[in-house]
Amino acid sequence: MVTTELRRDPITGRSVVIDLSPLHPNDFDDGVASGFSRSSEVTEVEAACAFCEGREGEAGPELLAWREGSHTNTPGWSVRVVANRRPMLRIEGGLDRRIDGVFETRDGLGAHEVVIETPVHDQPLQNLPVDRLWRVLWAWRTRLQDLKQDARFATAIVFKNHGRAAGARMDHAHSQIAAYPIVPAALDEKVRGAAAHLGHTGHCIFCDMTEQGLRDGRRTVSDTLPVIAITPFASRVPFETWLMPGEHAARFDEASDATLEAMSVVLKDVMARVDWALGRPAYNLVLHTAPFSGDADLAFHWHLEVIPRVTRWSGLEWGTGIPRNPVSPEEAARVLRGVKPVGPDL
Amino acid sequence: MVTTELRRDPITGRSVVIDLSPLHPNDFDDGVASGFSRSSEVTEVEAACAFCEGREGEAGPELLAWREGSHTNTPGWSVRVVANRRPMLRIEGGLDRRIDGVFETRDGLGAHEVVIETPVHDQPLQNLPVDRLWRVLWAWRTRLQDLKQDARFATAIVFKNHGRAAGARMDHAHSQIAAYPIVPAALDEKVRGAAAHLGHTGHCIFCDMTEQGLRDGRRTVSDTLPVIAITPFASRVPFETWLMPGEHAARFDEASDATLEAMSVVLKDVMARVDWALGRPAYNLVLHTAPFSGDADLAFHWHLEVIPRVTRWSGLEWGTGIPRNPVSPEEAARVLRGVKPVGPDL
């Protein structure tokens, strides 16, 4: 039984998820020799991968799968969504806040799902053929549509960790979907900024930014509609790249099949370029789509962040919140545009 | 010539420092095999450590040093402060913002200094005797007092990276001081939160938090005045620990010699406990002190964050800004209190 709670920082108002269950060996990085964790009750690390085809029972009952004729919870799938076995948030719980003086806590209410992107153990997402990549995006969209029905959830965020340096604890390609009773800070500050820009100008800031950026062209990686790829003006890490619809669209859960198809093509192309430029780096993906309420639909514009993890967050970033990025987005886009990725699976 | 600029994210308003100079081999993590960096103009990594005693010329002219009889820029020091040789911010530059549509840039104006904490190469900060640790804090205080005189700077932040996993690129123990023309986001959100609490209650939130926390006691590591150590209620990482004066004090640059002495004792003690609990982990230190203007002096309370780096920031933290902390601060404080660090240098 995993128990977590959402705590509010009394100074900044930011939230953290505190896990109250016993420490798991995967919780700390490889190589951390902890007197504390040694003394804790730990379980054995599993020898075999629970995400591989044929081990469906261990990964858990499926919430969704792409199947062509096979039976639920058996082999014969290409994408499979299950509940996270060590969920950070649980669907059991209430919305009440417990206040004790300056300290505020609530249940770790939410959903935490895993999208197993391929039945094959050693197959990175970006190596999938475009039609298989499409099914991963289809799974994201379908789950978002379902999670939106739960009135307790304010929003959901899709993310992916590829490689140890990006926080991945499993090698088998997977992404994760987390639904929250609040709009998490990283999305909330975008929503607020976008709403302010809409208020001042009547425009979507993402559309304005993209239009000005494409005109200039120096941060453009791919400008073929309907899905474009750019390196953002204020990129936080080297080769940060955003994929988004060229026309205004607030929600990924409303994206058409054709948009997902364009997205699959651009994502595969961008990842091949990033893999070349940075030597197959660890990376994160983050999908930001408008909160479920719909209030931000005019202001917000869905986008997928590709975040290569080739630099380490240091005390500088912790202490200031101002990242130092050693590669300008103009330079990154120039390099990415210059690559001509070729290969049997492109 | 290193050239950087501060860019404002058009959506969130957050800043990043973009480095426009050629890539340096230290800019990427060890093990990143980059087609991009290979094709860049890179300099050789130095074989010998420029921070070691006897190589004062390579580290650069000293801005400050603790010396007893020796000459400036020669051996015979215990702490030495120099300008960063690859500064993220430079003291040459103006405050003007350059606005181009939705994009806003300004010079990478500021100061970026290095505090070499010991003349000995392989001596971590926490292994220094208390009186030597005191001199490091003295150097921080003295430099903050000086940087405050430059009317272009809004604030300065001290930070330290220990170990590769914490972003350190040099093994020789050092901390860094960065002065900014703006109040960086991570400090700004604390200042704003503290000002709001002061407005509502007439109290300092840090004092209220500490008073309530010490009464409860479950997150107390050390409650001996004048400097206490606690694990914060909304700890972001396992064993995050804050050191701060028990009585209200906004600015580290005004701390008395006696406060620095107490701070040295508590810091050494806390680090010995953390080293035991987590097996000498990589860690960051961050010192937050009130901005130079003085406007936040009633609301803000200086504190030193100890941030062990035993977990990896994943797409979850990037995408949500809500960290998942697998160890509750109550558990961390219980473990830290239980350790009885002993050793010849304590």
Side-chain angles (χ1 to χ4, degrees):
Chain A
M1 170 71 170
V2 179
T3 314
T4 63
E5 55 187 37
L6 270 167
R7 294 190 183 181
R8 180 184 176 279
D9 183 293
I11 303 160
T12 61
R14 281 180 169 265
S15 299
V16 301
V17 170
I18 301 283
D19 196 330
L20 303 170
S21 59
L23 198 71
H24 186 273
N26 262 358
D27 284 335
F28 285 173
D29 279 347
D30 300 339
V32 172
S34 162
F36 163 64
S37 67
R38 274 199 305 274
S39 67
S40 295
E41 189 185 320
V42 294
T43 56
E44 286 297 304
V45 180
E46 290 146 293
C49 172
F51 291 173
C52 280
E53 189 163 32
R55 297 170 61 89
E56 288 74 16
E58 289 165 57
E62 66 200 37
L63 301 164
L64 178 72
W66 183 283
R67 294 182 173 279
E68 286 162 7
S70 56
H71 288 291
T72 303
N73 297 324
T74 67
W77 47 276
S78 50
V79 175
R80 190 162 183 267
V81 185
V82 296
N84 194 305
R85 291 177 302 168
R86 300 191 61 240
M88 173 182 64
L89 302 165
R90 302 173 70 88
I91 53 171
E92 302 86 7
L95 288 167
D96 296 343
R97 299 181 302 168
R98 293 182 290 283
I99 294 176
D100 173 22
V102 297
F103 301 122
E104 187 182 310
T105 310
R106 53 166 98 203
D107 291 345
L109 168 74
H112 189 185
E113 304 179 354
V114 175
V115 180
I116 308 171
E117 297 165 342
T118 163
V120 177
H121 186 70
D122 198 15
Q123 186 173 41
L125 175 69
Q126 65 268 31
N127 288 11
L128 294 176
V130 165
D131 62 325
R132 295 275 307 285
L133 231 163
W134 186 91
R135 294 176 200 172
V136 174
L137 303 182
W138 163 85
W140 293 358
R141 185 183 64 182
T142 309
R143 290 307 306 151
L144 289 174
Q145 288 166 348
D146 187 52
L147 289 164
K148 190 179 167 180
Q149 305 307 316
D150 191 322
R152 299 172 304 170
F153 299 156
T155 195
I157 286 168
V158 183
F159 64 96
K160 175 178 170 67
N161 308 328
H162 172 83
R164 288 285 182 275
R169 309 304 306 180
M170 302 275 288
D171 290 327
H172 195 123
H174 67 287
S175 34
Q176 300 179 62
I177 304 178
Y180 289 84
I182 55 173
V183 179
L187 177 58
D188 191 50
E189 66 180 8
K190 286 184 182 174
V191 168
R192 286 172 191 268
H197 186 82
L198 183 74
H200 293 140
T201 66
H203 301 158
C204 161
I205 178 63
F206 296 86
C207 290
D208 279 0
M209 196 180 86
T210 304
E211 191 188 308
Q212 191 182 339
L214 291 180
R215 217 162 45 224
D216 170 286
R218 291 187 302 149
R219 288 180 298 276
T220 305
V221 179
S222 165
D223 60 1
T224 318
L225 293 177
V227 172
I228 61 164
I230 57 150
T231 54
F233 173 74
S235 291
R236 297 159 294 178
V237 299
F239 291 82
E240 177 174 352
T241 306
W242 288 17
L243 278 61
M244 60 175 119
E247 303 287 330
H248 185 75
R251 343 187 122 270
F252 184 81
D253 49 279
E254 292 175 357
S256 68
D257 285 359
T259 299
L260 295 199
E261 201 175 304
M263 178 86 170
S264 311
V265 171
V266 176
L267 180 58
K268 187 168 174 65
D269 178 61
V270 164
M271 287 311 307
R273 294 170 189 271
V274 168
D275 272 352
W276 179 87
L278 297 175
R280 299 189 172 275
Y283 67 87
N284 296 114
L285 299 181
V286 169
L287 177 72
H288 276 166
T289 176
F292 293 150
S293 72
D295 295 346
D297 281 8
L298 281 177
F300 199 78
H301 194 125
W302 73 259
H303 53 284
L304 180 73
E305 301 179 355
V306 178
I307 304 163
R309 297 291 295 274
V310 295
T311 54
R312 200 78 74 137
W313 228 232
S314 83
L316 173 74
E317 283 83 13
W318 274 96
T320 66
I322 302 182
R324 176 196 193 160
N325 181 351
V327 181
S328 75
E330 294 77 20
E331 170 79 348
R334 192 187 59 70
V335 170
L336 292 176
R337 279 195 308 268
V339 182
K340 296 273 172 281
V342 287
D345 56 357
L346 261 169
Chain B
M1 171 71 171
V2 179
T3 313
T4 64
E5 55 187 38
L6 269 167
R7 293 190 183 181
R8 180 183 176 280
D9 183 292
I11 303 159
T12 62
R14 282 181 168 264
S15 300
V16 300
V17 171
I18 301 282
D19 196 330
L20 303 171
S21 59
L23 199 71
H24 186 273
N26 262 358
D27 283 335
F28 285 173
D29 279 348
D30 300 339
V32 173
S34 162
F36 163 63
S37 67
R38 273 199 306 273
S39 66
S40 295
E41 189 185 321
V42 294
T43 56
E44 286 297 303
V45 180
E46 289 145 294
C49 172
F51 291 174
C52 280
E53 189 163 31
R55 296 169 62 89
E56 288 74 17
E58 289 165 56
E62 66 200 37
L63 301 164
L64 178 71
W66 183 283
R67 294 182 173 278
E68 286 163 6
S70 56
H71 288 291
T72 303
N73 297 324
T74 67
W77 47 276
S78 50
V79 175
R80 192 163 182 266
V81 184
V82 296
N84 193 305
R85 291 177 302 167
R86 300 191 62 240
M88 173 182 64
L89 302 165
R90 302 172 70 88
I91 53 171
E92 302 87 7
L95 288 167
D96 296 343
R97 299 181 301 169
R98 293 182 290 282
I99 295 177
D100 172 23
V102 298
F103 301 122
E104 187 181 311
T105 310
R106 53 167 98 204
D107 291 344
L109 168 73
H112 189 186
E113 304 180 354
V114 176
V115 180
I116 308 171
E117 297 166 342
T118 163
V120 177
H121 186 70
D122 198 15
Q123 187 173 41
L125 175 69
Q126 65 268 33
N127 287 11
L128 294 175
V130 165
D131 61 325
R132 295 275 306 284
L133 231 163
W134 186 91
R135 293 176 201 173
V136 173
L137 303 182
W138 163 84
W140 293 359
R141 185 183 64 183
T142 309
R143 290 307 306 151
L144 289 174
Q145 288 166 348
D146 187 52
L147 289 164
K148 190 179 166 180
Q149 304 308 316
D150 191 322
R152 299 172 304 170
F153 299 155
T155 195
I157 286 168
V158 183
F159 64 96
K160 176 178 169 67
N161 308 327
H162 172 83
R164 287 287 182 275
R169 308 305 306 181
M170 302 275 288
D171 290 327
H172 195 124
H174 66 287
S175 34
Q176 300 179 62
I177 304 177
Y180 289 84
I182 55 173
V183 179
L187 176 59
D188 191 50
E189 67 180 7
K190 286 184 181 173
V191 168
R192 285 172 192 269
H197 186 83
L198 183 75
H200 294 140
T201 66
H203 301 159
C204 161
I205 179 62
F206 296 86
C207 290
D208 279 1
M209 196 180 87
T210 304
E211 191 188 308
Q212 192 183 338
L214 291 180
R215 216 162 46 223
D216 170 286
R218 290 187 303 147
R219 288 180 299 275
T220 305
V221 179
S222 166
D223 61 1
T224 318
L225 293 177
V227 172
I228 62 165
I230 58 150
T231 55
F233 173 74
S235 290
R236 296 159 295 177
V237 298
F239 291 82
E240 176 174 352
T241 306
W242 288 17
L243 278 60
M244 60 175 118
E247 303 287 330
H248 185 74
R251 341 187 124 270
F252 184 80
D253 49 279
E254 293 176 357
S256 68
D257 286 359
T259 299
L260 295 199
E261 201 175 303
M263 178 85 171
S264 311
V265 172
V266 176
L267 179 57
K268 187 167 174 65
D269 179 61
V270 163
M271 287 310 307
R273 294 169 189 271
V274 168
D275 272 352
W276 179 87
L278 297 175
R280 299 189 172 275
Y283 67 87
N284 295 114
L285 299 181
V286 168
L287 178 72
H288 276 166
T289 177
F292 293 150
S293 72
D295 295 347
D297 280 8
L298 281 176
F300 199 78
H301 194 125
W302 73 259
H303 53 284
L304 181 73
E305 301 179 355
V306 178
I307 304 164
R309 297 291 295 274
V310 295
T311 53
R312 201 78 72 137
W313 228 233
S314 83
L316 173 73
E317 283 82 14
W318 274 96
T320 66
I322 303 183
R324 177 196 193 160
N325 181 351
V327 180
S328 75
E330 294 77 20
E331 170 79 348
R334 192 186 60 70
V335 170
L336 292 176
R337 279 195 307 269
V339 182
K340 296 274 172 281
V342 286
D345 57 358
L346 262 168

